[in-house]
Amino acid sequence: DKTQLMPVAMTSRFKLKDILLGTGVAVLVLNGLAVLAGGIISTVVPTWLIRLIAGAAFLFFAVTTLKGDDDEEENVKDRKIKFAPLSVFCTFFVAELGDKTQLTAITFGANEGLSSAVVVWLACSLGLFAADILGMLVGYLLKSKTPDGLLNTLAFVIFSIFGAFTLHQGLNMMNARVCPIPVWPVWIAAAVIFTALCVWIYIKRKKENKCDI
């Protein structure tokens, strides 16, 4: 993902301490804003609706992860970076603003509420920073990305699990607080649709890769 490609690109232009400082501050600020926004949302939107939206969002993130971000990756590779560490901060901040990683933090913030805002903020920041450090290590030691598809596959699995679990929570809450609904049939139908969509995207991407070759 471009979250990792940026530090990899920066390794050829900046010192490690400048990248760590700029990226670390940007991660804390971005996730702080995202979790705060999510926490505010949780105070005005019904919990069951937040669970349903969060579940759908996680599944959407899984699908987009499976689909990949080839165009964005090419743009990141070609991006010119000239200053440090403020330049690192600005570049990372602008590139990640409104990106899937920040939308994920907003989703977690809304799902957990303001009472858990600090924990969610620290956890999201730690996760994103760990991914960036991995990208930097790859940039310094291997001068290439991690094994093709490894991180995308891991992210897809994580998002899918969170999505399925959160969606099931939302359906149970809706069944208890709003109106009786067949929870398991609806959940299974959503799972079948999600699986079919993932298979279609996977097959489509395989065909596109063959055409490129």
Side-chain angles (χ1 to χ4, degrees):
D1 189 61
K2 66 185 176 69
T3 297
Q4 285 189 303
L5 284 174
M6 275 187 296
V8 171
M10 291 175 184
T11 56
S12 63
R13 296 173 173 84
F14 298 112
K15 295 179 180 179
L16 181 59
K17 63 177 182 180
D18 293 329
I19 300 175
L20 289 173
L21 179 59
T23 302
V25 175
V27 165
L28 290 173
V29 173
L30 281 167
N31 284 324
L33 293 174
V35 173
L36 180 60
I40 292 174
I41 291 174
S42 69
T43 63
V44 296
V45 180
T47 305
W48 64 269
L49 182 58
I50 288 177
R51 291 289 193 277
L52 292 179
I53 294 174
F58 286 133
L59 294 179
F60 172 76
F61 296 151
V63 170
T64 55
T65 299
L66 186 66
K67 185 177 179 182
D69 300 307
D70 295 333
D71 293 337
E72 287 184 343
E73 291 178 1
E74 290 299 324
N75 292 333
V76 171
K77 288 179 181 178
D78 295 336
R79 191 171 290 147
K80 300 296 182 181
I81 308 170
K82 298 179 180 180
F83 305 103
L86 179 61
S87 180
V88 176
F89 169 83
C90 293
T91 302
F92 193 91
F93 186 90
V94 172
E96 290 299 306
L97 192 63
D99 188 61
K100 183 168 59 182
T101 48
Q102 194 181 33
L103 293 177
T104 303
I106 292 175
T107 304
F108 273 117
N111 198 41
E112 300 300 329
L114 283 175
S115 60
S116 302
V118 174
V119 174
V120 174
W121 172 54
L122 293 176
C124 287
S125 298
L126 181 61
L128 181 55
F129 194 61
D132 294 333
I133 290 177
L134 179 59
M136 283 181 263
L137 290 176
V138 170
Y140 274 112
L141 302 177
L142 303 179
K143 300 299 180 183
S144 63
K145 294 194 294 182
T146 51
D148 188 34
L150 176 62
L151 291 178
N152 270 8
T153 301
L154 180 60
F156 171 78
V157 171
I158 293 173
F159 279 133
S160 298
I161 292 174
F162 272 117
F165 179 71
T166 308
L167 188 64
H168 188 260
Q169 280 186 323
L171 290 172
N172 281 329
M173 289 181 178
M174 185 178 179
N175 180 56
R177 302 177 186 180
V178 182
C179 61
I181 59 171
V183 175
W184 278 106
V186 173
W187 188 89
I188 292 174
V192 170
I193 294 173
F194 173 72
T195 302
L197 180 60
C198 290
V199 171
W200 177 74
I201 290 175
Y202 179 78
I203 294 174
K204 182 180 178 182
R205 191 174 186 187
K206 282 290 185 182
K207 289 182 179 179
E208 290 176 350
N209 291 337
K210 287 182 179 179
C211 291
D212 293 336
I213 295 174

